[in-house]
Amino acid sequence: MNTKIALKCAVALLAMSAFGVASAVPLTVSRYDMFNGYSGSYNYWDDTYSGTGAVNIDGARLSGGKGDLTNGVVASDNWFVTEAPGGSRPYVGWSIDPTIHFYFGRPVTIQKISFSFDDSNGAGGVSPPQSVLIAGTAYSVPDPVGGAPFQFDISGLSLNVSDLQVEIQRSNAWVFVSEVSFDGQLPEPGALSLLGLGMIGLAFARRR
């Protein structure tokens, strides 16, 4: 094997060692930007949003923070139970097709995205969305049997990003979401250091 081929093989092995040991973990969202929820019988706002924007105004621009969509609270009842006065208010509801821009604060590899939707069988105009648009690809959302909230998972993505825009496309007047979560991989700091040192060593060897 000549020197050039040996160098290429060494680089490939170092790359695999650096990124192949990354751990599959829940990915933390550092912030998300979007338009606030809307009002109907009740107010379906992102009440706990921590960034800038009016959380008590329909469709207000929210940016730089986090709230109901990433607080770990998944609704177990329909909107007309949880959003009523005295309810737990976990949902954000829109009468538009919402676009949500998620930021992770670092490069990540997203393998799976999970959405917690309401399905009240059309009561109040609330149904599962038609699809979710991610990185230019539309993923159809099936309408489950019954009328209970449900989780919709999109797996096998392998998206290497530091931020991601998601559009939810309605099938009815309203769409209600209580949580969006991400699973994937973070590069191991030690492995990245190993890759960097290996590349420097290979460059030195090649020059020699």
Side-chain angles (χ1 to χ4, degrees):
M1 183 182 295
N2 62 39
T3 303
K4 191 173 184 179
I5 295 175
L7 286 170
K8 288 182 178 180
C9 292
V11 169
L13 289 171
L14 281 169
M16 287 188 292
S17 68
F19 296 102
V21 296
S23 302
V25 295
L27 301 175
T28 300
V29 173
S30 61
R31 66 183 176 97
Y32 60 83
D33 300 344
M34 66 178 192
F35 291 109
N36 198 12
Y38 286 75
S39 298
S41 301
Y42 312 112
N43 300 316
Y44 313 120
W45 300 325
D46 195 340
D47 305 276
T48 65
Y49 193 78
S50 61
T52 60
V55 298
N56 58 352
I57 294 179
D58 289 359
R61 181 67 182 175
L62 306 179
S63 62
K66 297 190 293 184
D68 290 348
L69 298 185
T70 57
N71 62 2
V73 178
V74 176
S76 57
D77 284 308
N78 296 119
W79 69 272
F80 48 77
V81 176
T82 61
E83 299 300 306
S88 56
R89 303 175 67 89
Y91 287 111
V92 181
W94 295 271
S95 53
I96 62 169
D97 291 349
T99 296
I100 311 164
H101 200 153
F102 294 94
Y103 297 84
F104 301 93
R106 67 173 83 179
V108 298
T109 299
I110 299 173
Q111 301 290 359
K112 183 175 77 170
I113 308 176
S114 300
F115 298 86
S116 296
F117 292 120
D118 193 17
D119 176 15
S120 60
N121 277 340
V126 178
S127 298
Q130 174 183 329
S131 59
V132 177
L133 187 64
I134 298 172
T137 301
Y139 297 86
S140 297
V141 180
D143 189 348
V145 176
F150 69 100
Q151 181 172 298
F152 172 62
D153 295 332
I154 304 173
S155 303
L157 293 172
S158 295
L159 297 173
N160 298 304
V161 297
S162 57
D163 62 278
L164 184 67
Q165 186 168 286
V166 172
E167 181 182 342
I168 301 171
Q169 301 172 323
R170 294 167 300 145
S171 63
N172 206 335
W174 289 88
V175 62
F176 278 73
V177 184
S178 66
E179 189 76 5
V180 182
S181 61
F182 301 85
D183 290 286
Q185 296 176 333
L186 296 170
E188 296 285 352
L192 288 176
S193 299
L194 174 63
L195 178 62
L197 289 172
M199 293 295 290
I200 292 171
L202 285 171
F204 179 74
R206 185 174 183 180
R207 280 161 56 184
R208 291 191 61 186

